[in-house]
Amino acid sequence: MTGHISPIIGIDLGTSNSAVSWFGEGRASLVLGQQDRRLTPSVVGLDDEGHLLVGEAAKARLVSHPHLTVASFKRYMGTDKVFTLGPQSFRAEELSALVLRKLKADAEVALGCSITRAAITVPAYFNDTQRKAVQAAGQMAGLEVERLLNEPTAAALAYGLADSREQKFLVFDLGGGTFDVSIVDMFEGVIEVRASSGDAWLGGDDFTEVLRQWMLSRYPLLTLDDPTFAAELTRQAESLKQQLSSQDKANARLAYGGEEYSWELTEEAFQACCSTLLSRLKKPVVQALQDAQFDVAQLDHVILVGGATRMPLVRQLVTRMFGRFPRNELNPDEVVALGAGVQAGLIAEDKALDDVVLTDVMPYSLGIAVSRRNGERVEEGFFSPLIERNAFVPVSVMQTFSTMNDNQRQIDIEVYQGESRKVSDNLRLDSMSIPIPPRKAGEVSVDVRFTYTLDGILEVECKVDGEQTASTMVIEKSPGMLSAEDIANRLKQLDALKQHPRDVPENRQLVAEAAKRYEQTLGDRRQIIDHYATQFEQALERQDLRIIAAARDELRRVLDQLNDGL
């Protein structure tokens, strides 16, 4: 694929695995990475020489080198938590940027052109700070993030194209670290998300952790003090969980400290261990149905998304809750990435999607802090929502507020995000102060307008009654979010990280080109390409930049000569 316009890619940035897709020839397709893998583990590490490892190579060292490898960092997006990799430290945004950078490079190799634009999926219940953190990660990866798309909405897009008739369905999305529920209504090519709910701290990792604690309880003398043992125990717990996806009993063995430990787990015991987690899965489902004002009987389908839905106990729970078997014909690990590819096609205005319209909803409420009069007393700190959760976006809403005290000289507009009555339990986004004429309480009013865009930008406009001009504030930065200067500085640091020569885009593209030319040729030409490609690959493994440069030039020269001879 070539051209002057950079294609837009769709990315599923997952807790456990990530994937990238693009839209072409009327459908979304996943981009194959190294070893033709569709999924890239969301794992970052350093090798013994300090070279950066991302994906499968990093995951392979999770147990053997836990101090040089980190996974499941998506949960900490938008927080100040710092992860240590050897002598270096990273925020979750930076680690995510390294995963995004690899996905971008894979797509550039597969599509044969430079890529700078992307649609990235996020859990529906990610708050404003977390969403801005994903945008910052994209920026650090060299991507212009055209749209943040809710993961269940992406799944709806993927399924919606496969079956365009009128229908209502619930998307049950349980990934490695997050849980989302969305109610989707489809009619006449319109895919309308009616309600979203979820739990940003519930996923497959929690089921693994429950198993890990169960394993420890069988041998009370075992502790998690040794990082290598802790990593191996996690691997064994993950193995038990995966075994139970296809059989009634699971077994694990682990040698440590000269002793051998073994476990046998039944499906019933696993279900008992996870009873609290299974209960937590029900609450967002009930909330989403209430918000959408839907009854279970009105749903045509229940769709399973996310690798953690492979667990039989989760599928059994869903079947019992809805009284029907859920749909899972699309790979639950890949469906969100495919939907992101459809979104990329929508942004690019692909003609194959002319009849598809996507609407989305606010996953949380936005409002301001207000005071209330209780007799003679004025009580502060109450939350007054202007845009309520599950409102369709883009959205613009105005409300009028009045002064509470005599001779007030300013009104303070404090913007919050959340669902609690008291602002102290919600997330503070920003504030502004507006000067007003001093008058009696209630005689000065201000119109407050919230406008929320598809790109997740909130504009707050305040206009005092009787005045011509309005005060405005655009909230793009949230607490815990990196500033533009921070991002620029961290981008330099990421650029300075050592990369294994085989992961440098220029080298990867040449290896891919040689492989393609090998497939297209026969006889002596094929043997020539094989010889020089092998030399180049061996040079990459030696990591000597002079030898690599010479071998790269030789392979480039041979490929150009063969092209000229066509």
Side-chain angles (χ1 to χ4, degrees):
M1 179 176 177
T2 58
H4 299 296
I5 300 174
S6 165
I8 305 169
I9 54 174
I11 295 176
D12 171 17
L13 180 63
T15 305
S16 304
N17 294 292
S18 296
V20 57
S21 65
W22 66 289
F23 195 87
E25 298 175 359
R27 64 188 181 93
S29 303
L30 289 177
V31 169
L32 299 183
Q34 288 170 308
Q35 290 87 49
D36 287 343
R37 295 179 186 270
R38 286 185 168 88
L39 301 178
T40 296
S42 301
V43 185
V44 175
L46 300 175
D47 68 12
D48 296 335
E49 285 77 44
H51 290 122
L52 183 67
L53 300 172
V54 180
E56 207 66 52
K59 185 179 179 180
R61 290 165 57 91
L62 261 174
V63 174
S64 60
H65 297 78
H67 61 295
L68 292 175
T69 322
V70 62
S72 295
F73 40 82
K74 177 182 173 181
R75 282 183 160 182
Y76 298 93
M77 293 291 274
T79 72
D80 291 325
K81 181 176 174 63
V82 173
F83 297 85
T84 302
L85 286 178
Q88 303 188 60
S89 59
F90 301 87
R91 284 171 56 116
E93 292 96 319
E94 295 171 289
L95 295 169
S96 297
L98 294 170
V99 174
L100 291 172
R101 189 181 285 187
K102 182 184 187 307
L103 296 173
K104 175 179 181 287
D106 286 343
E108 287 176 335
V109 170
L111 302 181
C113 61
S114 175
I115 290 170
T116 58
R117 305 162 70 199
I120 303 178
T121 62
V122 292
Y125 226 55
F126 254 22
N127 63 30
D128 192 64
T129 303
Q130 293 165 309
R131 288 164 188 264
K132 298 298 194 301
V134 173
Q135 287 181 314
Q139 192 175 339
M140 284 188 269
L143 290 167
E144 183 181 340
V145 182
E146 297 277 350
R147 181 70 50 82
L148 292 179
L149 178 68
N150 288 341
E151 288 169 5
T153 307
L157 276 176
Y159 269 94
L161 286 181
D163 189 353
S164 59
R165 64 188 173 80
E166 185 173 328
Q167 56 190 316
K168 297 174 174 63
F169 49 90
L170 180 143
V171 180
F172 187 99
D173 182 357
L174 184 64
T178 57
F179 175 50
D180 281 331
V181 179
S182 282
I183 312 290
V184 182
D185 198 356
M186 273 192 54
F187 53 92
E188 297 176 355
V190 175
I191 302 174
E192 183 176 279
V193 180
R194 295 287 296 273
S196 286
S197 187
D199 188 331
W201 287 88
L202 177 59
D205 287 353
D206 298 287
F207 288 82
T208 304
E209 179 57 25
V210 162
L211 280 182
R212 198 168 75 146
Q213 294 302 324
W214 173 81
M215 294 170 79
L216 285 174
S217 72
R218 294 287 167 271
Y219 297 97
L221 294 180
L222 289 176
T223 69
L224 298 174
D225 295 339
D226 180 347
T228 302
F229 168 73
E232 177 60 29
L233 194 69
T234 300
R235 191 167 75 90
Q236 293 296 335
E238 189 72 34
S239 172
L240 285 172
K241 190 176 75 174
Q242 290 174 355
Q243 288 176 54
L244 286 176
S245 294
S246 58
Q247 55 198 54
D248 295 334
K249 286 184 180 178
N251 293 282
R253 289 183 176 277
L254 195 158
Y256 177 69
E259 300 285 335
E260 184 162 294
Y261 302 92
S262 63
W263 295 267
E264 182 177 275
L265 180 68
T266 64
E267 181 71 32
E268 293 76 18
F270 185 29
Q271 189 139 4
C273 288
C274 299
S275 58
T276 301
L277 296 178
L278 293 171
S279 295
R280 284 174 61 190
L281 288 172
K282 295 178 183 177
K283 186 177 177 183
V285 172
V286 173
Q287 182 71 66
L289 287 167
Q290 285 178 349
D291 288 350
Q293 298 182 331
F294 270 32
D295 186 81
V296 170
Q298 292 177 270
L299 295 173
D300 295 298
H301 305 287
V302 177
I303 292 171
L304 293 184
V305 178
T309 61
R310 295 181 187 280
M311 290 186 284
L313 53 81
V314 171
R315 296 193 175 193
Q316 290 162 12
L317 174 76
V318 174
T319 302
R320 286 196 303 271
M321 284 182 71
F322 296 100
R324 76 190 72 182
F325 290 108
R327 285 176 65 175
N328 62 339
E329 60 264 35
L330 293 180
N331 187 323
D333 289 308
E334 300 173 1
V335 64
V336 169
L338 287 171
V342 177
Q343 176 67 77
L346 284 167
I347 295 169
E349 299 180 348
D350 192 291
K351 285 186 169 50
L353 298 169
D354 278 352
D355 296 330
V356 177
V357 178
L358 171 67
T359 71
D360 214 336
V361 293
M362 286 286 298
Y364 40 72
S365 299
L366 294 168
I368 65 171
V370 296
S371 301
R372 294 178 182 170
R373 188 170 292 282
N374 184 2
E376 295 298 313
R377 289 185 299 119
V378 173
E379 296 180 352
E380 299 179 340
F382 289 94
F383 180 59
S384 179
L386 274 80
I387 301 175
E388 292 198 293
R389 72 170 183 270
N390 293 317
F392 293 123
V393 289
V395 59
S396 186
V397 177
M398 188 195 78
Q399 284 188 30
T400 302
F401 300 88
S402 301
T403 53
M404 294 290 293
N405 300 303
D406 292 338
N407 299 316
Q408 270 185 241
R409 293 187 174 274
Q410 69 178 42
I411 291 179
D412 296 322
I413 304 294
E414 293 189 339
V415 181
Y416 286 84
Q417 168 194 306
E419 309 302 331
S420 298
R421 284 178 63 244
K422 296 292 187 75
V423 292
S424 56
D425 296 322
N426 292 331
L427 177 69
R428 186 178 183 276
L429 297 182
D430 212 334
S431 65
M432 65 191 297
S433 295
I434 306 163
I436 57 171
R439 292 178 188 161
K440 284 186 178 181
E443 288 189 0
V444 179
S445 62
V446 58
D447 294 335
V448 179
R449 178 177 291 280
F450 276 20
T451 302
Y452 192 87
T453 71
L454 280 168
D455 299 317
I457 295 172
L458 172 65
E459 181 186 70
V460 180
E461 183 182 87
C462 303
K463 186 171 179 293
V464 177
D465 184 36
E467 295 190 4
Q468 297 299 312
T469 57
S471 301
T472 59
M473 165 174 66
V474 176
I475 299 178
E476 294 182 88
K477 181 170 168 28
S478 305
M481 183 186 154
L482 296 171
S483 68
E485 186 179 352
D486 288 335
I487 291 173
N489 290 333
R490 290 171 189 272
L491 190 53
K492 289 178 185 174
Q493 292 170 16
L494 293 182
D495 285 337
L497 275 176
K498 294 183 191 174
Q499 270 189 301
H500 194 289
R502 66 169 171 261
D503 294 323
V504 173
E506 179 188 5
N507 295 337
R508 290 188 56 197
Q509 284 177 325
L510 188 57
V511 168
E513 184 183 341
K516 190 172 183 180
R517 296 290 293 127
Y518 180 87
E519 293 171 7
Q520 294 171 342
T521 55
L522 296 170
D524 292 343
R525 289 185 171 191
R526 176 173 273 194
Q527 289 181 11
I528 291 169
I529 293 172
D530 179 50
H531 172 74
Y532 285 99
T534 301
Q535 278 194 340
F536 183 47
E537 287 169 348
Q538 289 172 346
L540 292 175
E541 291 308 314
R542 290 176 65 180
Q543 300 184 41
D544 185 313
L545 296 183
R546 285 185 305 104
I547 295 173
I548 289 171
R552 183 172 55 232
D553 290 344
E554 281 290 287
L555 179 56
R556 176 81 272 159
R557 180 183 59 78
V558 167
L559 292 177
D560 288 345
Q561 283 179 349
L562 288 174
N563 285 336
D564 291 341
L566 289 177

